[in-house]
Amino acid sequence: MKAIISGGGTGGHIFPALAIANAIKARYADADILFIGANGRMEMEKVPAAGYTIKGLPIAGLQRSLSPKSILKNLAVPFKLLKSQRMAKQIIRQFNPDVVVGVGGYASAPTLKAASAMGYPTLLQEQNSYPGLTNKMLAAKADVICVAYNGLDKFFPADKIVFTGNPVRKVMEDMALTKDEGSKTFGTNPAKLTILSVGGSLGARTINETISANLQYFKQKDIQLIWQTGKRYYSQAVETVKNANADNVKVCEFISQMDSAYAAADVIISRAGAIAISELCLVGKPTILIPSPNVAEDHQTKNAMSLVNNGAALMVRDADAMTTLCQTLDSLVSDTEKQKTMSEAILKMGIHNAADKIVDQIEKIIKKQ
């Protein structure tokens, strides 16, 4: 099998893409898989690190700011799109895939548009409860659209939708590590209460600022903290921890061994991105979600509420995090029965083998050709 997988920008697009690629490889050992991403974005680093070839396009998204610099960048977007479409068409023609898969993000727009126009079968994977602009634009020409939430027939043709769940990293499907094993990765004491704070692959300003302002809480309570900050906030976080003499805090720019981080943690603080939610449902740890307010149609709050309404997580609004996060955390860590019931509830919401279900759909549309 030959497949092109396109998209990226954040871990929420890249990790599902890699999960799909790995599932294809597991079924077809000789599969030839090529990624197409956006130059300068995270996928150009993460995909080669995972052992796959990627080609970059000069595509860029619109800047929301009205600053002179942003306006100039926006003027260049149509030209970058046209160039990216030409490049994508050339890449597709040379590679001649059996299928082209789009996972959302800048690069998937020109790639999937070109593939459909050239007659190649295409599959979209939509992670969120509210789809991104790219996938909404591409839906009409796609053969199949794999989703993880119900009700997406408001945005996509109903006859093309297949519910598969979100593909996640294979290690999350298995989650065989013990707390002792996970703790060794981060040098934490498995006998002590440990909190994992993650704000997505790029980091989350509100979560980072809240943690920074409340380091004394973790110190006074003798609670260990594994803190993924994202690249932008890492240096400042290291300095803050050093000044606070908070030896109980382990600062990480990016955590590649997330299975170890989840295993080491007793309680998790996280944004409510679709892939984070999907992984947390397989991990089964008590979780406090802080949805990002900077997303289309506030879909992270919708993601979070799907868990909260089932007793599977707690939610703190982004605007309230500075004043209420530690209070919510303190209440949770002091209630072992609550932790147990939340763990049981969130595990019931986990969807397994989503990547394999997507490969099943890939096989079906290839056979139709």
Side-chain angles (χ1 to χ4, degrees), residues 169-332:
R169 290 167 279 194
K170 185 64 176 173
V171 290
M172 303 307 167
E173 293 273 4
D174 303 330
M175 274 308 292
L177 291 178
T178 64
K179 185 178 181 182
D180 283 359
E181 291 169 331
S183 298
K184 286 179 182 177
T185 301
F186 299 93
T188 53
N189 183 348
K192 289 187 176 183
L193 180 68
T194 305
I195 310 299
L196 169 65
S197 174
V198 287
S201 55
L202 301 178
R205 186 180 67 182
T206 298
I207 295 178
N208 287 329
E209 289 179 350
T210 302
I211 295 294
S212 292
N214 289 279
L215 286 179
Q216 288 305 313
Y217 164 81
F218 294 95
K219 192 172 180 180
Q220 290 166 8
K221 294 283 186 175
D222 196 25
I223 296 174
Q224 297 176 132
L225 174 67
I226 300 171
W227 180 14
Q228 177 180 289
T229 63
K231 185 175 183 178
R232 185 185 304 173
Y233 308 99
Y234 177 70
S235 297
Q236 182 60 51
V238 169
E239 189 67 22
T240 302
V241 168
K242 182 180 178 182
N243 292 339
N245 196 27
D247 296 335
N248 57 318
V249 178
K250 309 294 180 181
V251 184
C252 308
E253 178 182 311
F254 179 83
I255 299 174
S256 56
Q257 295 174 283
M258 279 303 298
D259 55 332
S260 293
Y262 286 137
D266 298 292
V267 174
I268 298 165
I269 299 168
S270 176
R271 280 301 200 201
I275 300 305
I277 293 282
S278 297
E279 290 189 348
L280 290 167
C281 287
L282 298 177
V283 170
K285 296 290 179 77
T287 299
I288 299 172
L289 297 170
I290 306 175
S292 170
N294 305 311
V295 293
E297 297 296 311
D298 196 25
H299 69 252
Q300 284 206 10
T301 296
K302 295 180 176 69
N303 294 348
M305 289 306 299
S306 68
L307 271 62
V308 172
N309 291 337
N310 285 282
L314 301 177
M315 187 179 81
V316 172
R317 290 178 63 247
D318 187 87
D320 300 333
M322 188 66 76
T323 55
T324 65
L325 177 59
C326 284
Q327 180 183 346
T328 303
L329 177 62
D330 203 47
S331 175
L332 179 57

